[in-house]
Amino acid sequence: MPLHSLQRLSPTAVLGLWHLTETPAELWPLLPQASTYQTLLPATADARRQAQWLSGRVLIHRLLSEAELAFPAEIQVRNDATGRPWLVGAGLGDTVSLSHSGQWVAAVLARGGRAGVDVEEIRDKAQRLASKFLAPGEWAAAQAAHSPGAADASAHYTLLWSAKETLYKLAAQRGIIFKTQLLLGEFEWREAGEIPATLVLSGAETRHCICYSQPSPGYVLTYCHEPIP
């Protein structure tokens, strides 16, 4: 389907969502410079992964053309050595963050500053792995928020994982330990809201705000954009 939504986060950044229903064959004609992207498509990707990969780049190009942020006309989306997307042909400091899960693809496109976005299909995996990525206080707070076996517990833990993924992308560094360097503060669990967060790098702490919502039942979305001061 076409671009699902475009949300202005600031004068220099937009958040876009794509509801993925297309096959790879349907996505290729929507992608500028398709011949170039054919050489970049991961050779081992199955049809589902191909569709997610392609729709992410279709979404970014749609944002480039519709977001009115004055990007150069000829831009390609590539991945660096860590797997993060970057914009070939864009200005110094221009940034993009991309995520896909199930039927949703999300991207934040910004002219300067830092950005992170993550979309996750709600599963019980995050709850099972909570002790590995949540600090003791975060885990205790999550456990206190739900009675044993509560139906919305999986959504809560998936949200916590997603928020840390967004904070990790905002940091743009490898080797970060989710449990000790990506910390989430207290918040009221709702369908949409904000989560205070702390990033611990090189002994210094910085404060951030992670926004969250549910693009559709069964999914959570988190994102953050911080313009240049």
Side-chain angles (χ1 to χ4, degrees):
M1 64 179 295
L3 176 68
H4 179 270
S5 63
L6 186 155
Q7 177 185 348
R8 181 77 63 170
L9 302 181
S10 77
T12 59
V14 292
L15 165 68
L17 290 177
W18 187 281
H19 189 196
L20 177 57
T21 59
E22 301 89 351
T23 65
E26 293 169 326
L27 288 164
W28 277 114
L30 305 179
L31 190 60
Q33 309 169 54
S35 59
T36 299
Y37 282 108
Q38 286 175 345
T39 65
L40 301 175
L41 179 69
T44 59
D46 58 18
R48 181 176 66 90
R49 290 291 185 182
Q50 287 183 27
Q52 291 176 331
W53 190 92
L54 289 167
S55 60
R57 281 136 189 86
V58 169
L59 172 58
I60 292 172
H61 278 284
R62 191 65 60 85
L63 294 181
L64 287 167
S65 64
E66 297 186 14
E68 298 181 355
L69 294 179
F71 276 91
E74 296 297 326
I75 286 182
Q76 288 184 2
V77 183
R78 300 225 177 184
N79 293 88
D80 64 17
T82 69
R84 295 186 181 92
W86 63 289
L87 303 173
V88 178
L92 183 66
D94 292 337
T95 187
V96 64
S97 184
L98 178 65
S99 179
H100 51 70
S101 181
Q103 294 184 334
W104 284 100
V105 183
V108 172
L109 180 67
R111 303 228 65 174
R114 300 193 296 179
V117 67
D118 186 70
V119 63
E120 297 284 346
E121 187 172 3
I122 294 172
R123 298 179 296 172
D124 63 359
K125 181 179 180 180
Q127 187 172 2
R128 290 188 282 107
L129 298 178
S131 64
K132 297 185 181 297
F133 72 90
L134 291 180
E138 296 168 343
W139 195 14
Q143 289 176 311
H146 304 279
S147 58
D152 60 349
S154 291
H156 192 167
Y157 283 95
T158 302
L159 172 61
L160 296 176
W161 168 258
S162 181
K164 292 206 173 192
E165 276 284 328
T166 285
L167 191 58
Y168 172 75
K169 293 178 180 179
L170 196 74
Q173 291 188 27
R174 301 189 72 177
I176 290 177
I177 301 173
F178 279 41
K179 191 171 183 177
T180 59
Q181 294 181 268
L182 308 176
L183 305 177
L184 304 178
E186 295 183 2
F187 68 101
E188 184 179 352
W189 164 242
R190 296 178 294 183
E191 288 189 2
E194 298 178 348
I195 304 174
T198 300
L199 179 60
V200 183
L201 291 177
S202 302
E205 297 185 358
T206 54
R207 303 290 188 267
H208 308 272
C209 180
I210 309 297
C211 300
Y212 71 89
S213 62
Q214 294 182 331
S216 69
Y219 290 85
V220 296
L221 169 73
T222 61
Y223 57 92
C224 179
H225 170 247
E226 296 178 345
I228 299 174

PDB file of all heavy atoms in Angstrom, residues 17-49:
ATOM      1  N   LEU A  17       5.775   5.822   8.276  1.00  0.00           N
ATOM      2  CA  LEU A  17       5.372   4.426   8.474  1.00  0.00           C
ATOM      3  C   LEU A  17       4.848   3.854   7.161  1.00  0.00           C
ATOM      4  O   LEU A  17       4.089   4.510   6.441  1.00  0.00           O
ATOM      5  CB  LEU A  17       4.278   4.329   9.539  1.00  0.00           C
ATOM      6  CG  LEU A  17       4.668   4.612  10.989  1.00  0.00           C
ATOM      7  CD1 LEU A  17       3.429   4.536  11.876  1.00  0.00           C
ATOM      8  CD2 LEU A  17       5.716   3.628  11.468  1.00  0.00           C
ATOM      9  N   TRP A  18       5.249   2.621   6.883  1.00  0.00           N
ATOM     10  CA  TRP A  18       4.782   1.904   5.697  1.00  0.00           C
ATOM     11  C   TRP A  18       4.174   0.596   6.171  1.00  0.00           C
ATOM     12  O   TRP A  18       4.813  -0.171   6.883  1.00  0.00           O
ATOM     13  CB  TRP A  18       5.963   1.633   4.765  1.00  0.00           C
ATOM     14  CG  TRP A  18       5.587   1.046   3.437  1.00  0.00           C
ATOM     15  CD1 TRP A  18       5.279  -0.257   3.156  1.00  0.00           C
ATOM     16  CD2 TRP A  18       5.489   1.749   2.194  1.00  0.00           C
ATOM     17  NE1 TRP A  18       5.000  -0.417   1.830  1.00  0.00           N
ATOM     18  CE2 TRP A  18       5.119   0.803   1.210  1.00  0.00           C
ATOM     19  CE3 TRP A  18       5.685   3.086   1.811  1.00  0.00           C
ATOM     20  CZ2 TRP A  18       4.944   1.156  -0.130  1.00  0.00           C
ATOM     21  CZ3 TRP A  18       5.506   3.434   0.479  1.00  0.00           C
ATOM     22  CH2 TRP A  18       5.144   2.477  -0.473  1.00  0.00           C
ATOM     23  N   HIS A  19       2.924   0.342   5.778  1.00  0.00           N
ATOM     24  CA  HIS A  19       2.265  -0.925   6.102  1.00  0.00           C
ATOM     25  C   HIS A  19       2.537  -1.889   4.958  1.00  0.00           C
ATOM     26  O   HIS A  19       2.000  -1.731   3.854  1.00  0.00           O
ATOM     27  CB  HIS A  19       0.761  -0.704   6.295  1.00  0.00           C
ATOM     28  CG  HIS A  19       0.064  -1.904   6.827  1.00  0.00           C
ATOM     29  ND1 HIS A  19      -1.309  -2.060   6.784  1.00  0.00           N
ATOM     30  CD2 HIS A  19       0.534  -3.034   7.423  1.00  0.00           C
ATOM     31  CE1 HIS A  19      -1.650  -3.206   7.325  1.00  0.00           C
ATOM     32  NE2 HIS A  19      -0.545  -3.823   7.715  1.00  0.00           N
ATOM     33  N   LEU A  20       3.358  -2.857   5.216  1.00  0.00           N
ATOM     34  CA  LEU A  20       3.868  -3.728   4.165  1.00  0.00           C
ATOM     35  C   LEU A  20       2.853  -4.804   3.789  1.00  0.00           C
ATOM     36  O   LEU A  20       2.544  -5.691   4.591  1.00  0.00           O
ATOM     37  CB  LEU A  20       5.185  -4.374   4.616  1.00  0.00           C
ATOM     38  CG  LEU A  20       5.829  -5.381   3.670  1.00  0.00           C
ATOM     39  CD1 LEU A  20       6.091  -4.752   2.312  1.00  0.00           C
ATOM     40  CD2 LEU A  20       7.109  -5.927   4.275  1.00  0.00           C
ATOM     41  N   THR A  21       2.357  -4.718   2.564  1.00  0.00           N
ATOM     42  CA  THR A  21       1.459  -5.743   2.025  1.00  0.00           C
ATOM     43  C   THR A  21       1.950  -6.252   0.667  1.00  0.00           C
ATOM     44  O   THR A  21       1.362  -7.176   0.113  1.00  0.00           O
ATOM     45  CB  THR A  21       0.037  -5.183   1.856  1.00  0.00           C
ATOM     46  OG1 THR A  21       0.065  -4.050   0.974  1.00  0.00           O
ATOM     47  CG2 THR A  21      -0.543  -4.748   3.201  1.00  0.00           C
ATOM     48  N   GLU A  22       3.027  -5.625   0.136  1.00  0.00           N
ATOM     49  CA  GLU A  22       3.486  -5.933  -1.206  1.00  0.00           C
ATOM     50  C   GLU A  22       4.472  -7.099  -1.231  1.00  0.00           C
ATOM     51  O   GLU A  22       5.148  -7.390  -0.245  1.00  0.00           O
ATOM     52  CB  GLU A  22       4.165  -4.702  -1.836  1.00  0.00           C
ATOM     53  CG  GLU A  22       3.265  -3.480  -1.945  1.00  0.00           C
ATOM     54  CD  GLU A  22       3.338  -2.623  -0.683  1.00  0.00           C
ATOM     55  OE1 GLU A  22       3.952  -3.073   0.323  1.00  0.00           O
ATOM     56  OE2 GLU A  22       2.770  -1.524  -0.698  1.00  0.00           O
ATOM     57  N   THR A  23       4.593  -7.700  -2.383  1.00  0.00           N
ATOM     58  CA  THR A  23       5.628  -8.689  -2.655  1.00  0.00           C
ATOM     59  C   THR A  23       6.865  -7.960  -3.172  1.00  0.00           C
ATOM     60  O   THR A  23       6.785  -6.795  -3.590  1.00  0.00           O
ATOM     61  CB  THR A  23       5.167  -9.696  -3.711  1.00  0.00           C
ATOM     62  OG1 THR A  23       4.974  -8.993  -4.956  1.00  0.00           O
ATOM     63  CG2 THR A  23       3.862 -10.367  -3.300  1.00  0.00           C
ATOM     64  N   PRO A  24       8.033  -8.616  -3.172  1.00  0.00           N
ATOM     65  CA  PRO A  24       9.210  -7.975  -3.769  1.00  0.00           C
ATOM     66  C   PRO A  24       8.968  -7.514  -5.207  1.00  0.00           C
ATOM     67  O   PRO A  24       9.412  -6.426  -5.592  1.00  0.00           O
ATOM     68  CB  PRO A  24      10.274  -9.072  -3.699  1.00  0.00           C
ATOM     69  CG  PRO A  24       9.894  -9.871  -2.488  1.00  0.00           C
ATOM     70  CD  PRO A  24       8.392  -9.891  -2.498  1.00  0.00           C
ATOM     71  N   ALA A  25       8.264  -8.314  -5.984  1.00  0.00           N
ATOM     72  CA  ALA A  25       8.008  -7.937  -7.380  1.00  0.00           C
ATOM     73  C   ALA A  25       7.188  -6.658  -7.480  1.00  0.00           C
ATOM     74  O   ALA A  25       7.354  -5.875  -8.431  1.00  0.00           O
ATOM     75  CB  ALA A  25       7.285  -9.077  -8.095  1.00  0.00           C
ATOM     76  N   GLU A  26       6.313  -6.414  -6.524  1.00  0.00           N
ATOM     77  CA  GLU A  26       5.504  -5.196  -6.521  1.00  0.00           C
ATOM     78  C   GLU A  26       6.275  -3.993  -5.996  1.00  0.00           C
ATOM     79  O   GLU A  26       5.942  -2.844  -6.303  1.00  0.00           O
ATOM     80  CB  GLU A  26       4.242  -5.414  -5.676  1.00  0.00           C
ATOM     81  CG  GLU A  26       3.280  -6.419  -6.282  1.00  0.00           C
ATOM     82  CD  GLU A  26       2.175  -6.820  -5.322  1.00  0.00           C
ATOM     83  OE1 GLU A  26       2.441  -6.881  -4.097  1.00  0.00           O
ATOM     84  OE2 GLU A  26       1.040  -7.069  -5.790  1.00  0.00           O
ATOM     85  N   LEU A  27       7.324  -4.236  -5.213  1.00  0.00           N
ATOM     86  CA  LEU A  27       8.088  -3.144  -4.618  1.00  0.00           C
ATOM     87  C   LEU A  27       9.175  -2.606  -5.543  1.00  0.00           C
ATOM     88  O   LEU A  27       9.482  -1.403  -5.507  1.00  0.00           O
ATOM     89  CB  LEU A  27       8.718  -3.600  -3.300  1.00  0.00           C
ATOM     90  CG  LEU A  27       7.744  -3.782  -2.134  1.00  0.00           C
ATOM     91  CD1 LEU A  27       8.398  -4.591  -1.011  1.00  0.00           C
ATOM     92  CD2 LEU A  27       7.266  -2.434  -1.607  1.00  0.00           C
ATOM     93  N   TRP A  28       9.756  -3.462  -6.355  1.00  0.00           N
ATOM     94  CA  TRP A  28      10.849  -3.007  -7.218  1.00  0.00           C
ATOM     95  C   TRP A  28      10.469  -1.798  -8.078  1.00  0.00           C
ATOM     96  O   TRP A  28      11.267  -0.847  -8.175  1.00  0.00           O
ATOM     97  CB  TRP A  28      11.336  -4.140  -8.111  1.00  0.00           C
ATOM     98  CG  TRP A  28      12.320  -5.072  -7.454  1.00  0.00           C
ATOM     99  CD1 TRP A  28      12.137  -6.391  -7.156  1.00  0.00           C
ATOM    100  CD2 TRP A  28      13.645  -4.756  -7.021  1.00  0.00           C
ATOM    101  NE1 TRP A  28      13.261  -6.919  -6.552  1.00  0.00           N
ATOM    102  CE2 TRP A  28      14.206  -5.932  -6.454  1.00  0.00           C
ATOM    103  CE3 TRP A  28      14.413  -3.590  -7.044  1.00  0.00           C
ATOM    104  CZ2 TRP A  28      15.496  -5.978  -5.941  1.00  0.00           C
ATOM    105  CZ3 TRP A  28      15.703  -3.627  -6.523  1.00  0.00           C
ATOM    106  CH2 TRP A  28      16.225  -4.799  -5.984  1.00  0.00           C
ATOM    107  N   PRO A  29       9.310  -1.753  -8.722  1.00  0.00           N
ATOM    108  CA  PRO A  29       8.977  -0.585  -9.553  1.00  0.00           C
ATOM    109  C   PRO A  29       8.818   0.711  -8.758  1.00  0.00           C
ATOM    110  O   PRO A  29       8.840   1.797  -9.350  1.00  0.00           O
ATOM    111  CB  PRO A  29       7.643  -0.990 -10.204  1.00  0.00           C
ATOM    112  CG  PRO A  29       7.614  -2.477 -10.138  1.00  0.00           C
ATOM    113  CD  PRO A  29       8.298  -2.823  -8.859  1.00  0.00           C
ATOM    114  N   LEU A  30       8.648   0.616  -7.438  1.00  0.00           N
ATOM    115  CA  LEU A  30       8.482   1.804  -6.612  1.00  0.00           C
ATOM    116  C   LEU A  30       9.811   2.403  -6.171  1.00  0.00           C
ATOM    117  O   LEU A  30       9.840   3.471  -5.558  1.00  0.00           O
ATOM    118  CB  LEU A  30       7.661   1.451  -5.357  1.00  0.00           C
ATOM    119  CG  LEU A  30       6.296   0.812  -5.580  1.00  0.00           C
ATOM    120  CD1 LEU A  30       5.634   0.498  -4.235  1.00  0.00           C
ATOM    121  CD2 LEU A  30       5.413   1.717  -6.417  1.00  0.00           C
ATOM    122  N   LEU A  31      10.910   1.721  -6.485  1.00  0.00           N
ATOM    123  CA  LEU A  31      12.209   2.107  -5.965  1.00  0.00           C
ATOM    124  C   LEU A  31      13.043   2.828  -7.024  1.00  0.00           C
ATOM    125  O   LEU A  31      13.325   2.269  -8.078  1.00  0.00           O
ATOM    126  CB  LEU A  31      12.958   0.852  -5.494  1.00  0.00           C
ATOM    127  CG  LEU A  31      14.243   1.046  -4.689  1.00  0.00           C
ATOM    128  CD1 LEU A  31      13.969   1.819  -3.413  1.00  0.00           C
ATOM    129  CD2 LEU A  31      14.860  -0.311  -4.363  1.00  0.00           C
ATOM    130  N   PRO A  32      13.433   4.079  -6.781  1.00  0.00           N
ATOM    131  CA  PRO A  32      14.328   4.757  -7.727  1.00  0.00           C
ATOM    132  C   PRO A  32      15.674   4.029  -7.800  1.00  0.00           C
ATOM    133  O   PRO A  32      16.098   3.398  -6.834  1.00  0.00           O
ATOM    134  CB  PRO A  32      14.498   6.150  -7.104  1.00  0.00           C
ATOM    135  CG  PRO A  32      13.376   6.300  -6.124  1.00  0.00           C
ATOM    136  CD  PRO A  32      13.066   4.918  -5.640  1.00  0.00           C
ATOM    137  N   GLN A  33      16.332   4.151  -8.945  1.00  0.00           N
ATOM    138  CA  GLN A  33      17.645   3.542  -9.130  1.00  0.00           C
ATOM    139  C   GLN A  33      17.607   2.043  -8.819  1.00  0.00           C
ATOM    140  O   GLN A  33      18.488   1.500  -8.148  1.00  0.00           O
ATOM    141  CB  GLN A  33      18.683   4.227  -8.251  1.00  0.00           C
ATOM    142  CG  GLN A  33      18.707   5.747  -8.380  1.00  0.00           C
ATOM    143  CD  GLN A  33      19.543   6.393  -7.303  1.00  0.00           C
ATOM    144  OE1 GLN A  33      20.715   6.044  -7.127  1.00  0.00           O
ATOM    145  NE2 GLN A  33      18.972   7.339  -6.568  1.00  0.00           N
ATOM    146  N   ALA A  34      16.583   1.367  -9.291  1.00  0.00           N
ATOM    147  CA  ALA A  34      16.377  -0.036  -8.942  1.00  0.00           C
ATOM    148  C   ALA A  34      17.570  -0.903  -9.338  1.00  0.00           C
ATOM    149  O   ALA A  34      17.932  -1.840  -8.615  1.00  0.00           O
ATOM    150  CB  ALA A  34      15.102  -0.553  -9.607  1.00  0.00           C
ATOM    151  N   SER A  35      18.206  -0.604 -10.465  1.00  0.00           N
ATOM    152  CA  SER A  35      19.323  -1.429 -10.904  1.00  0.00           C
ATOM    153  C   SER A  35      20.482  -1.366  -9.913  1.00  0.00           C
ATOM    154  O   SER A  35      21.182  -2.366  -9.695  1.00  0.00           O
ATOM    155  CB  SER A  35      19.796  -0.988 -12.294  1.00  0.00           C
ATOM    156  OG  SER A  35      20.204   0.379 -12.268  1.00  0.00           O
ATOM    157  N   THR A  36      20.689  -0.207  -9.310  1.00  0.00           N
ATOM    158  CA  THR A  36      21.743  -0.078  -8.305  1.00  0.00           C
ATOM    159  C   THR A  36      21.399  -0.875  -7.061  1.00  0.00           C
ATOM    160  O   THR A  36      22.254  -1.560  -6.480  1.00  0.00           O
ATOM    161  CB  THR A  36      21.960   1.398  -7.934  1.00  0.00           C
ATOM    162  OG1 THR A  36      22.352   2.117  -9.107  1.00  0.00           O
ATOM    163  CG2 THR A  36      23.024   1.540  -6.865  1.00  0.00           C
ATOM    164  N   TYR A  37      20.151  -0.810  -6.641  1.00  0.00           N
ATOM    165  CA  TYR A  37      19.740  -1.530  -5.435  1.00  0.00           C
ATOM    166  C   TYR A  37      19.756  -3.040  -5.628  1.00  0.00           C
ATOM    167  O   TYR A  37      19.894  -3.787  -4.655  1.00  0.00           O
ATOM    168  CB  TYR A  37      18.362  -1.052  -4.976  1.00  0.00           C
ATOM    169  CG  TYR A  37      18.417   0.271  -4.241  1.00  0.00           C
ATOM    170  CD1 TYR A  37      17.957   1.435  -4.817  1.00  0.00           C
ATOM    171  CD2 TYR A  37      18.966   0.349  -2.960  1.00  0.00           C
ATOM    172  CE1 TYR A  37      18.018   2.654  -4.149  1.00  0.00           C
ATOM    173  CE2 TYR A  37      19.036   1.549  -2.275  1.00  0.00           C
ATOM    174  CZ  TYR A  37      18.565   2.698  -2.878  1.00  0.00           C
ATOM    175  OH  TYR A  37      18.640   3.886  -2.211  1.00  0.00           O
ATOM    176  N   GLN A  38      19.614  -3.495  -6.867  1.00  0.00           N
ATOM    177  CA  GLN A  38      19.669  -4.937  -7.115  1.00  0.00           C
ATOM    178  C   GLN A  38      21.013  -5.516  -6.703  1.00  0.00           C
ATOM    179  O   GLN A  38      21.101  -6.657  -6.237  1.00  0.00           O
ATOM    180  CB  GLN A  38      19.391  -5.215  -8.590  1.00  0.00           C
ATOM    181  CG  GLN A  38      17.931  -5.051  -8.971  1.00  0.00           C
ATOM    182  CD  GLN A  38      17.688  -5.220 -10.459  1.00  0.00           C
ATOM    183  OE1 GLN A  38      18.624  -5.188 -11.258  1.00  0.00           O
ATOM    184  NE2 GLN A  38      16.430  -5.384 -10.839  1.00  0.00           N
ATOM    185  N   THR A  39      22.084  -4.742  -6.841  1.00  0.00           N
ATOM    186  CA  THR A  39      23.415  -5.215  -6.444  1.00  0.00           C
ATOM    187  C   THR A  39      23.622  -5.131  -4.932  1.00  0.00           C
ATOM    188  O   THR A  39      24.568  -5.732  -4.414  1.00  0.00           O
ATOM    189  CB  THR A  39      24.505  -4.388  -7.146  1.00  0.00           C
ATOM    190  OG1 THR A  39      24.443  -3.019  -6.692  1.00  0.00           O
ATOM    191  CG2 THR A  39      24.317  -4.417  -8.651  1.00  0.00           C
ATOM    192  N   LEU A  40      22.768  -4.397  -4.227  1.00  0.00           N
ATOM    193  CA  LEU A  40      22.910  -4.226  -2.783  1.00  0.00           C
ATOM    194  C   LEU A  40      22.015  -5.163  -1.988  1.00  0.00           C
ATOM    195  O   LEU A  40      22.243  -5.375  -0.792  1.00  0.00           O
ATOM    196  CB  LEU A  40      22.577  -2.777  -2.389  1.00  0.00           C
ATOM    197  CG  LEU A  40      23.440  -1.684  -3.033  1.00  0.00           C
ATOM    198  CD1 LEU A  40      22.914  -0.303  -2.631  1.00  0.00           C
ATOM    199  CD2 LEU A  40      24.896  -1.839  -2.635  1.00  0.00           C
ATOM    200  N   LEU A  41      21.004  -5.731  -2.612  1.00  0.00           N
ATOM    201  CA  LEU A  41      20.081  -6.626  -1.922  1.00  0.00           C
ATOM    202  C   LEU A  41      20.829  -7.840  -1.377  1.00  0.00           C
ATOM    203  O   LEU A  41      21.540  -8.513  -2.118  1.00  0.00           O
ATOM    204  CB  LEU A  41      18.983  -7.084  -2.888  1.00  0.00           C
ATOM    205  CG  LEU A  41      17.940  -8.052  -2.332  1.00  0.00           C
ATOM    206  CD1 LEU A  41      17.057  -7.355  -1.303  1.00  0.00           C
ATOM    207  CD2 LEU A  41      17.093  -8.620  -3.473  1.00  0.00           C
ATOM    208  N   PRO A  42      20.698  -8.140  -0.077  1.00  0.00           N
ATOM    209  CA  PRO A  42      21.391  -9.312   0.493  1.00  0.00           C
ATOM    210  C   PRO A  42      21.048 -10.587  -0.262  1.00  0.00           C
ATOM    211  O   PRO A  42      19.878 -10.918  -0.466  1.00  0.00           O
ATOM    212  CB  PRO A  42      20.864  -9.355   1.933  1.00  0.00           C
ATOM    213  CG  PRO A  42      20.485  -7.939   2.238  1.00  0.00           C
ATOM    214  CD  PRO A  42      19.955  -7.383   0.947  1.00  0.00           C
ATOM    215  N   ALA A  43      22.076 -11.305  -0.676  1.00  0.00           N
ATOM    216  CA  ALA A  43      21.870 -12.485  -1.522  1.00  0.00           C
ATOM    217  C   ALA A  43      21.138 -13.602  -0.799  1.00  0.00           C
ATOM    218  O   ALA A  43      20.469 -14.427  -1.434  1.00  0.00           O
ATOM    219  CB  ALA A  43      23.230 -12.982  -2.026  1.00  0.00           C
ATOM    220  N   THR A  44      21.248 -13.664   0.525  1.00  0.00           N
ATOM    221  CA  THR A  44      20.649 -14.764   1.278  1.00  0.00           C
ATOM    222  C   THR A  44      19.229 -14.471   1.750  1.00  0.00           C
ATOM    223  O   THR A  44      18.615 -15.315   2.399  1.00  0.00           O
ATOM    224  CB  THR A  44      21.517 -15.090   2.505  1.00  0.00           C
ATOM    225  OG1 THR A  44      21.624 -13.910   3.333  1.00  0.00           O
ATOM    226  CG2 THR A  44      22.909 -15.530   2.082  1.00  0.00           C
ATOM    227  N   ALA A  45      18.687 -13.284   1.427  1.00  0.00           N
ATOM    228  CA  ALA A  45      17.360 -12.911   1.921  1.00  0.00           C
ATOM    229  C   ALA A  45      16.271 -13.714   1.224  1.00  0.00           C
ATOM    230  O   ALA A  45      16.253 -13.830  -0.001  1.00  0.00           O
ATOM    231  CB  ALA A  45      17.129 -11.420   1.718  1.00  0.00           C
ATOM    232  N   ASP A  46      15.340 -14.266   2.037  1.00  0.00           N
ATOM    233  CA  ASP A  46      14.184 -14.938   1.444  1.00  0.00           C
ATOM    234  C   ASP A  46      13.164 -13.884   1.027  1.00  0.00           C
ATOM    235  O   ASP A  46      13.387 -12.675   1.152  1.00  0.00           O
ATOM    236  CB  ASP A  46      13.583 -15.940   2.422  1.00  0.00           C
ATOM    237  CG  ASP A  46      13.149 -15.310   3.744  1.00  0.00           C
ATOM    238  OD1 ASP A  46      12.980 -14.076   3.805  1.00  0.00           O
ATOM    239  OD2 ASP A  46      12.976 -16.055   4.728  1.00  0.00           O
ATOM    240  N   ALA A  47      12.013 -14.310   0.512  1.00  0.00           N
ATOM    241  CA  ALA A  47      11.030 -13.371  -0.037  1.00  0.00           C
ATOM    242  C   ALA A  47      10.540 -12.379   1.017  1.00  0.00           C
ATOM    243  O   ALA A  47      10.366 -11.184   0.736  1.00  0.00           O
ATOM    244  CB  ALA A  47       9.848 -14.134  -0.633  1.00  0.00           C
ATOM    245  N   ARG A  48      10.331 -12.849   2.250  1.00  0.00           N
ATOM    246  CA  ARG A  48       9.859 -11.953   3.313  1.00  0.00           C
ATOM    247  C   ARG A  48      10.908 -10.904   3.645  1.00  0.00           C
ATOM    248  O   ARG A  48      10.595  -9.719   3.773  1.00  0.00           O
ATOM    249  CB  ARG A  48       9.505 -12.764   4.550  1.00  0.00           C
ATOM    250  CG  ARG A  48       8.970 -11.915   5.716  1.00  0.00           C
ATOM    251  CD  ARG A  48       8.559 -12.816   6.874  1.00  0.00           C
ATOM    252  NE  ARG A  48       9.713 -13.493   7.451  1.00  0.00           N
ATOM    253  CZ  ARG A  48      10.445 -12.984   8.452  1.00  0.00           C
ATOM    254  NH1 ARG A  48      10.137 -11.806   8.963  1.00  0.00           N
ATOM    255  NH2 ARG A  48      11.471 -13.652   8.943  1.00  0.00           N
ATOM    256  N   ARG A  49      12.146 -11.338   3.784  1.00  0.00           N
ATOM    257  CA  ARG A  49      13.231 -10.407   4.078  1.00  0.00           C
ATOM    258  C   ARG A  49      13.462  -9.443   2.916  1.00  0.00           C
ATOM    259  O   ARG A  49      13.759  -8.254   3.124  1.00  0.00           O
ATOM    260  CB  ARG A  49      14.519 -11.186   4.372  1.00  0.00           C
ATOM    261  CG  ARG A  49      14.493 -11.946   5.691  1.00  0.00           C
ATOM    262  CD  ARG A  49      14.517 -10.994   6.858  1.00  0.00           C
ATOM    263  NE  ARG A  49      14.621 -11.696   8.133  1.00  0.00           N
ATOM    264  CZ  ARG A  49      14.624 -11.097   9.313  1.00  0.00           C
ATOM    265  NH1 ARG A  49      14.527  -9.780   9.368  1.00  0.00           N
ATOM    266  NH2 ARG A  49      14.710 -11.812  10.423  1.00  0.00           N
TER     267      ARG A  49
END
